[in-house]
Amino acid sequence: MNQDILQTVSRLKAIVRDVPDFPKKGIIFKDITPLLADHAAFSETIAYFAGQFRGRGITKVLGIEARGFLLAGPIAMALGAGIVPVRKKGKLPYKTLSASYELEYGTDTLEMHVDAVKPGEKVLIVDDVLATGGTAGAVCELAEKGGATVEGIAMLIELEFLKGRAKLPGRDIQALLKY
Ligand code: AMP
């Protein structure tokens, strides 16, 4: 990373808020709402990801419910791409594709509209936090079920100690803030 990016990273890290024991004891929740509320910080964030993925033929940006939506919108606009919401099971109104992934206890299912991506399309997957990688892995599966190619994964935050990358071999994962 160059000097400008390193400065951006330390500025943004100072704005993201750690909330201990949310949503349960032992978890340090990375609260990005102060960053979203700061125009300069949010603009720098969007410009960084647009710079990483511009010119790569991306036509859809897949935002993961719910904080991923907030990042996916402006990134998609900056890339000249459309936005696709990936939602928890049962939330989307039309026919869906679905993919399940393991949680600590049980499984969870994500859905995307069946016609949200077209075969051969290049997509970017966006979320706020890469933790264990289960969520992003399921979204890759959804995109590929729709016939799209996953060009990259953009994560505002990566919790490196949870080794999410190991679940996403061969993927181009760009994370701005690493802990
Ligand atoms: P995972 O599937 O374990 O990679 O978890 C990723 C999803 O859980 C993302 O949608 C995040 O928003 C959320 N998440 C996991 N851990 C945290 C954390 N420490 N702080 C905020 N969000 C988190």
Side-chain angles (χ1 to χ4, degrees), residues 41-117:
F42 192 37
S43 304
E44 279 182 88
T45 301
I46 300 307
Y48 173 77
F49 288 114
Q52 294 297 309
F53 291 104
R54 192 173 280 122
R56 291 173 56 172
I58 291 164
T59 48
K60 295 278 165 61
V61 176
L62 276 52
I64 306 175
E65 184 170 357
R67 291 176 298 280
F69 296 165
L70 299 166
L71 297 163
I75 292 172
M77 291 301 100
L79 293 178
I83 304 158
V84 173
V86 173
R87 301 208 61 184
K88 303 271 168 63
K89 190 177 169 62
K91 299 278 189 185
L92 288 167
Y94 186 57
K95 284 180 274 185
T96 57
L97 299 172
S98 68
S100 295
Y101 60 102
E102 304 280 328
L103 298 171
E104 200 179 347
Y105 305 103
T107 62
D108 215 343
T109 301
L110 290 172
E111 294 181 333
M112 178 180 82
H113 275 152
V114 69
D115 58 356
V117 298

Side-chain angles (χ1 to χ4, degrees), residues 18-42:
D18 282 356
V19 183
D21 299 322
F22 183 88
K24 57 184 183 185
K25 210 163 173 51
I27 306 276
I28 298 175
F29 191 87
K30 293 290 182 193
D31 177 15
I32 67 163
T33 61
L35 186 154
L36 297 171
D38 181 322
H39 176 259
F42 192 37

Side-chain angles (χ1 to χ4, degrees), residues 95-171:
K95 284 180 274 185
T96 57
L97 299 172
S98 68
S100 295
Y101 60 102
E102 304 280 328
L103 298 171
E104 200 179 347
Y105 305 103
T107 62
D108 215 343
T109 301
L110 290 172
E111 294 181 333
M112 178 180 82
H113 275 152
V114 69
D115 58 356
V117 298
K118 292 180 182 49
E121 223 173 358
K122 286 187 184 173
V123 303
L124 173 66
I125 293 169
V126 176
D127 205 0
D128 63 336
V129 175
L130 176 65
T132 66
T135 306
V139 181
C140 289
E141 188 185 327
L142 275 179
E144 287 166 356
K145 275 187 181 175
T149 300
V150 177
E151 180 66 18
I153 300 175
M155 293 282 168
L156 176 50
I157 292 168
E158 177 177 3
L159 303 177
E160 290 182 302
F161 54 93
L162 294 175
K163 305 197 178 349
R165 275 178 196 261
K167 279 215 189 102
L168 302 161
R171 304 294 184 185

